[in-house]
């Protein structure tokens, strides 16, 4: 899909569909909408008075051959109340409009950004919305819905004087959305097409293409480093594990002692549960248990283009979690890279095991000073927050957690901080080893999971994002296909760019 910004008057834009949005009110025909209404001889006022459109969120009204416009169609999308409207709303509108028109075989779209919204962040949101909406999960279908592709998408409404801001937004929007879609592509791959080795190859190819340094630790190197927690999960599979390390260094080399941001992502390419095996029903979904890793790899792709002023190191431990003759068993005691011993009471709580060694490696070997991890860690976070909010867990440094939450808010990704009281730490105190990999108390499953990782983060400022509920849409949304969402890429890019 070709994306451009055009500053000529919107009425003169030749396109198969001009899209704009209107707010919910008794008289939604205001501003630019009334310019269109006047050209169309009052048609819009008539439709609004008859109740045919009211501006309710994502309500769609498609008009053919609109008088006074060069466009062959006019799509009006409801934007809800003006007071509640923000760039997140605009992103959804652009996405929903694209999917609505694509389903009707429209090939060219022009999107009219309205008065009062003409800045770089609006252009960025519109482009993000359009590109993420255009992504389909039909890679392995021989009859592709994607053949109904939109060829061109033009952002309009900007005057010549607003062009620079608009163009900047379009460029950033494209980088972010393409990186988010890159993460989604990885998550969409089934486990037979995406083993830890293949994930490492794909990540390395992306990094090389983007000019990032990459280091892939293989099973030998992982053993040399004594990553006992990661190896304990990997030992049940014939597929060897990998640790993917991607580094971005700013052009102006940072002074010694400058912060180094560590992005750690869980990449279990398939989670059967191991010997503590999961039920068959729904197990196929566990191909998305590498979404945390994909998020971090996608984030690095965006950072390579946007060039933040901070060194960023991404560490993605990757393995399968399989039952088998060599698989670890409940009760096994493992020694993590940090030297801590772990009693593995449930082999299905494997994400925290592989993250433990990745966090240790990031701190000890890569000099990371601030960390964020992302992981499809627990079913419990789905119970707590459903598919609406990412669960956010922080360490002692609340200021660092606040910084991550502020980035999430700025980019319109819903995240909610969960409690981390010391009482929960007691749940993972070990009986036969230093620490156990599941809580002994009832409940609080996502918190004990977070506490386990925190034990390895120690004093290093750290935030854990549990994306088990938000990395995968079970149903399509008007603005997004069913399947991988690419959640947290935008937040983490914003976080790195805020240095
Ligand atoms: N990958 C799962 C978590 C998960 C569950 C992600 C549902 C997405 C949807 C993780 O490895 C896991 O199995 N966690 C267990 C932990 C339990 C054994 C303490 C869980 O949540 O049930
Ligand atoms: Zn598991
Ligand atoms: Zn898992």
């Amino acid at each position: 899909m070709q994306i451009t910004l055009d500053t000529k008057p919107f009425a003169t834009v030749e396109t198969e569909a001009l899209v704009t949005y209107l707010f919910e009110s008794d008289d939604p025909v205001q501003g630019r909408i009334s310019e269109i209404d006047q050209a169309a001889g009052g048609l819009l006022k008539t439709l609004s008075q008859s109740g045919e459109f009211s501006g309710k969120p994502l309500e769609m009204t498609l008009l053919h051959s609109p008088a006074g416009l060069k466009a062959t169609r006019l799509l009006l999308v409801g934007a809800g109340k003006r007071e509640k409207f923000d760039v997140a709303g605009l992103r959804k509108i652009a996405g929903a409009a694209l999917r609505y028109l694509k389903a009707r075989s429209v090939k060219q779209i022009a999107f009219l950004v309205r008065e009062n919204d003409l800045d770089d962040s609006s252009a960025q949101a519109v482009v993000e919305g359009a590109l993420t909406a255009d992504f389909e999960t039909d890679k392995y279908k021989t009859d592709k819905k994607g053949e109904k592709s939109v060829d061109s998408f033009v952002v309009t409404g900007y005057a010549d004087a607003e062009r620079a801001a608009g163009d900047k937004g379009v460029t950033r929007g494209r980088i972010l959305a393409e990186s988010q879609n890159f993460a989604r592509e990885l998550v969409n791959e089934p486990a037979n097409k995406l083993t830890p080795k293949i994930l490492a190859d794909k990540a390395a190819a992306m990094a090389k293409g983007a000019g990032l340094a990459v280091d892939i630790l293989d099973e030998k190197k992982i053993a040399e480093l004594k990553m006992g927690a990661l190896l304990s999960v990997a030992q049940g599979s014939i597929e060897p594990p990998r640790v993917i390390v991607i580094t971005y260094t700013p052009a102006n080399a940072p002074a010694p002692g400058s912060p180094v941001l560590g992005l750690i992502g869980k990449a279990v390419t398939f989670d059967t549960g191991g010997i503590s095996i999961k039920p068959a029903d729904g197990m196929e979904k566990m191909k998305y248990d590498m979404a945390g890793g994909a998020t971090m790899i996608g984030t690095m792709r965006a950072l390579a283009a946007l060039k933040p002023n901070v060194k960023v190191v991404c560490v993605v431990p990757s393995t399968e979690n399989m039952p088998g003759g060599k698989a670890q068993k409940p009760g096994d005691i493992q020694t993590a890279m940090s030297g801590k011993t772990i009693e593995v009471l449930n082999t299905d709580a494997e994400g925290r095991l592989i993250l433990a060694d990745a966090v240790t490696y990031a701190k000890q070997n890569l000099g990371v000073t601030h960390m964020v991890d992302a992981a499809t860690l627990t079913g419990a976070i789905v119970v707590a927050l459903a598919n609406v909010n990412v669960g956010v867990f922080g360490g002692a440094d609340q200021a660092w957690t606040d910084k991550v939450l502020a980035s999430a808010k700025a980019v319109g990704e819903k995240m909610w901080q969960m409690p981390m009281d010391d009482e929960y730490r007691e749940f993972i105190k070990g009986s036969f080893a230093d620490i156990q990999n599941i809580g002994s108390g009832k409940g609080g499953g996502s918190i004990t999971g977070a506490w386990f990782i925190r034990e390895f983060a120690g004093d290093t400022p750290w935030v854990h994002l549990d994306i088990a509920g938000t990395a995968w849409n079970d149903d399509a949304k008007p603005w997004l296909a069913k399947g991988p969402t690419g959640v947290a890429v935008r937040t983490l890019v914003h976080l790195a760019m805020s240095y």
Side-chain angles (χ1 to χ4, degrees):
M1 184 166 65
Q2 207 200 350
I3 302 193
T4 48
L5 184 126
D6 195 336
T7 55
K8 70 169 170 280
F10 67 86
T12 68
V13 176
E14 286 183 39
T15 176
E16 289 179 18
L18 181 71
V19 180
T20 195
Y21 46 100
L22 45 99
F23 298 100
E24 196 174 344
S25 87
D26 297 340
D27 181 17
V29 183
Q30 304 274 346
R32 287 223 150 131
I33 305 288
S34 37
E35 288 174 44
I36 301 176
D37 182 56
Q38 278 152 22
L43 172 68
L44 301 191
K45 276 229 186 311
T46 310
L47 287 175
S48 141
Q49 279 155 11
S50 73
E52 191 164 336
F53 69 64
S54 61
K56 290 218 167 55
L58 301 186
E59 168 196 78
M60 303 275 173
T61 305
L62 182 63
L63 303 170
H64 290 265
S65 314
L69 297 180
K70 275 271 192 288
T72 30
R73 297 175 191 78
L74 173 65
L75 176 63
L76 296 170
V77 187
K81 302 250 190 286
R82 187 38 140 165
E83 317 84 79
K84 283 187 149 182
F85 181 75
D86 56 13
V87 285
L90 188 56
R91 189 183 292 113
K92 276 187 191 167
I93 289 168
L98 182 133
R99 291 187 72 75
Y100 180 91
L101 292 168
K102 182 161 139 171
R104 287 158 181 78
S105 299
V106 171
K107 302 275 175 212
Q108 303 170 325
I109 299 174
F111 191 99
L112 172 60
V113 179
R114 284 188 63 178
E115 66 280 3
N116 307 324
D117 298 335
L118 294 157
D119 58 12
D120 58 335
S121 61
S122 296
Q124 181 178 337
V126 167
V127 171
E128 285 169 2
L131 277 171
T132 50
D134 196 33
F135 177 91
E136 301 290 354
T137 48
D138 57 0
K139 178 171 171 190
Y140 294 105
K141 287 197 173 172
T142 49
D143 176 18
K144 284 205 202 308
K145 224 195 328 174
E147 278 166 18
K148 276 193 174 179
S149 63
V150 176
D151 298 333
S152 77
F153 187 95
V154 183
V155 181
T156 66
Y158 289 74
D160 286 328
E162 293 149 343
R163 160 135 237 156
D167 279 341
K168 193 173 142 208
V170 169
T171 304
R172 286 178 135 252
R174 184 201 301 278
I175 293 167
L176 275 151
E178 286 176 353
S179 300
Q180 193 176 335
N181 285 348
F182 180 73
R184 293 165 78 198
E185 252 171 56
L186 294 173
V187 176
N188 189 49
E189 290 294 320
N192 64 326
K193 309 273 185 197
L194 194 89
T195 59
K197 263 201 287 195
I198 300 173
L199 177 63
D201 289 347
K202 285 181 190 278
M206 179 286 289
K208 280 180 193 143
L212 296 165
V214 59
D215 185 20
I216 306 293
L217 314 185
D218 64 9
E219 65 273 31
K220 255 181 68 193
K221 184 76 194 173
I222 292 169
E224 259 170 53
L225 287 164
K226 299 199 165 64
M227 293 185 166
L230 169 59
L231 284 169
S232 77
V233 179
Q235 75 189 42
S237 172
I238 56 164
E239 292 293 338
R242 291 289 181 266
V243 177
I244 301 159
V245 182
I246 306 173
T247 306
Y248 162 82
T249 312
N252 296 330
S258 302
V260 178
L261 175 60
L263 302 177
I264 327 283
K266 168 181 174 182
V268 174
T269 57
F270 198 77
D271 183 10
T272 66
I275 296 298
S276 314
I277 198 160
K278 288 181 182 294
D281 194 23
M283 199 201 274
E284 73 283 353
K285 209 173 130 181
M286 281 301 125
K287 69 173 189 177
Y288 92 114
D289 212 19
M290 34 61 70
T295 295
M296 296 319 189
I297 296 167
T299 300
M300 294 308 286
R301 184 190 179 282
L303 294 182
L306 294 171
K307 306 198 185 308
N309 292 317
V310 63
K311 181 169 173 178
V312 187
V313 185
C314 157
V315 183
V316 175
S318 185
T319 176
E320 288 187 335
N321 186 24
M322 298 287 283
K326 292 210 166 135
Q328 70 177 332
K329 299 166 276 297
D332 283 2
I333 293 179
Q334 310 292 357
T335 305
M337 182 184 176
S338 73
K340 253 193 223 307
T341 56
I342 304 166
E343 188 177 7
V344 179
L345 292 180
N346 189 315
T347 66
D348 196 11
E350 84 298 340
R352 60 201 75 181
L353 295 174
I354 73 171
L355 288 169
D357 284 343
V359 160
T360 302
Y361 184 70
K363 266 175 41 175
Q364 285 184 8
N365 300 50
L366 304 172
V368 159
T369 61
H370 293 74
M371 271 186 278
V372 182
D373 82 67
T376 47
L377 202 76
T378 66
I381 201 66
V382 190
V383 176
L385 301 174
N387 64 347
V388 178
N389 275 282
V390 170
V392 177
F393 302 82
D397 189 344
Q398 181 61 33
W400 177 238
T401 311
D402 286 341
K403 220 167 132 70
V404 176
L405 289 168
S407 285
K409 201 167 168 63
V411 303
E413 288 190 312
K414 287 182 189 282
M415 301 204 180
W416 192 259
Q417 186 173 4
M418 302 286 287
M420 284 289 277
D421 306 77
D422 290 338
E423 283 89 334
Y424 297 108
R425 202 250 157 234
E426 299 300 310
F427 292 18
I428 52 167
K429 259 197 176 154
S431 307
F432 303 104
D434 297 339
I435 165 178
Q436 59 191 38
N437 80 329
I438 59 169
S440 43
K442 282 217 169 62
S446 62
I447 307 173
T448 43
W451 256 111
F452 186 95
I453 306 167
R454 180 169 166 177
E455 285 295 306
F456 295 86
D459 296 335
T460 305
W462 155 88
V463 167
H464 158 63
L465 305 178
D466 195 334
I467 58 170
T470 45
W472 187 270
N473 273 342
D474 284 327
D475 303 302
K477 306 255 190 216
W479 58 91
L480 214 68
K482 170 181 172 158
T485 62
V487 72
V489 169
R490 289 207 314 271
T491 295
L492 295 167
V493 170
H494 187 278
L495 179 71
M497 295 309 289
S498 68
Y499 276 85

